[in-house]
Amino acid sequence: MPSEQPCPGFLPASRQLLVVVAELWQSSAGRLRRFARDGRDGAWLPVGEPVTVSLGRSGLAWGRGLHPPPGRGGPQKREGDGRAPAGVFAISALSGAAAAEGEPDRVAKLPCLRATGDLKCIDDPASTHYNRIVDQASLAEPDWISCEDMLRDDGRYEIGAVVAHNADPPLPGAGSCIFLHVWEAAGMPTAGCTAMAPADMRVIAGWLDGAAAPLLVQLPQAEYERCREAWGLPVFGR
């Protein structure tokens, strides 16, 4: 089991955690809590109140991130499976039409990808740009047959954050284009991202700080409890 293998290295450098816990692997909703590391003793302290989030329509599956390779138990994330990735992942950037707007001190905390009609996230496993966000105007000839438009009319990508799942380098077919973003509606699952109310997403986007090496930890409840002590994770609470 993952709890049998401690995971040194990924948590000591981080001072911000977003923790998402779902009831079961197949749950399409969960709760998110923010934690910040206390500067005096290094303990994780909760920040704000828990918020409800939507997950993949098929629940969760082990993704490719900073956590140890899972042993047994739990599905593996695949392209198009409708599952949000489980594990530990860096949060690498803000994204969306509103990502580069607002207070300058907030904007400077993480790289910001302003959405335009040419900004695409590539979900075609055959593309050399698979699981990358690219400006197609800068490319001589796109080599994909499918992609995610980062500028949308429905508001779901108005503001969000990029989850570094299946990165460095991406494994074709292991899942792509994973974000924190605004949900379509309360209780509506996603294709594999983690979504929430617009107000909650804006609070999180303003709180995230690249200097604090923010991480997303996302697991079913039982798996979180098995991994918590070995991985140095905080008590999630109620």
Side-chain angles (χ1 to χ4, degrees):
M1 302 294 293
S3 56
E4 294 169 358
Q5 184 178 358
C7 194
F10 73 76
L11 274 174
S14 177
R15 291 184 285 112
Q16 287 186 329
L17 290 182
L18 294 177
V19 178
V20 174
V21 172
E23 183 179 0
L24 302 168
W25 283 107
Q26 62 267 34
S27 297
S28 60
R31 289 194 307 148
L32 179 151
R33 296 201 75 165
R34 290 180 287 153
F35 292 89
R37 198 184 292 279
D38 188 299
R40 295 168 298 178
D41 60 10
W44 289 110
L45 301 178
V47 177
E49 295 298 319
V51 301
T52 299
V53 296
S54 292
L55 301 171
R57 60 181 179 270
S58 300
L60 293 165
W62 285 112
R64 298 182 71 235
L66 302 174
H67 51 282
R72 59 188 185 277
Q76 302 292 310
K77 174 71 182 159
R78 296 289 181 265
E79 187 67 44
D81 62 2
R83 294 180 182 269
V88 184
F89 311 93
I91 300 173
S92 57
L94 299 181
S95 63
E101 299 174 1
E103 305 88 342
D105 59 337
R106 188 208 74 182
V107 170
K109 290 181 180 180
L110 273 175
C112 296
L113 303 174
R114 181 186 287 276
T116 69
D118 285 318
L119 196 68
K120 312 291 184 183
C121 187
I122 312 307
D123 58 13
D124 179 358
S127 171
T128 57
H129 304 286
Y130 178 66
N131 200 28
R132 302 295 191 201
I133 299 175
V134 301
D135 181 352
Q136 68 175 5
S138 67
L139 302 176
E141 186 175 354
D143 67 347
W144 58 83
I145 60 173
S146 64
C147 65
E148 285 271 353
D149 294 328
M150 298 302 294
L151 183 65
R152 300 169 60 116
D153 295 330
D154 58 16
R156 280 186 280 172
Y157 286 1
E158 181 68 13
I159 188 155
V162 180
V163 178
H165 163 261
N166 190 25
D168 301 326
L171 178 66
S176 63
C177 305
I178 302 299
F179 307 106
L180 305 175
H181 65 73
V182 175
W183 60 24
E184 182 177 359
M188 184 72 68
T190 72
C193 294
T194 299
M196 65 201 76
D200 293 330
M201 186 66 249
R202 287 183 175 275
V203 167
I204 288 172
W207 177 73
L208 290 170
D209 185 348
L215 299 174
L216 171 66
V217 179
Q218 194 160 253
L219 291 166
Q221 179 71 49
E223 203 67 46
Y224 187 83
E225 291 305 321
R226 280 194 286 268
C227 297
R228 187 178 62 78
E229 186 174 349
W231 291 7
L233 300 172
V235 174
F236 188 82
R238 297 294 180 183

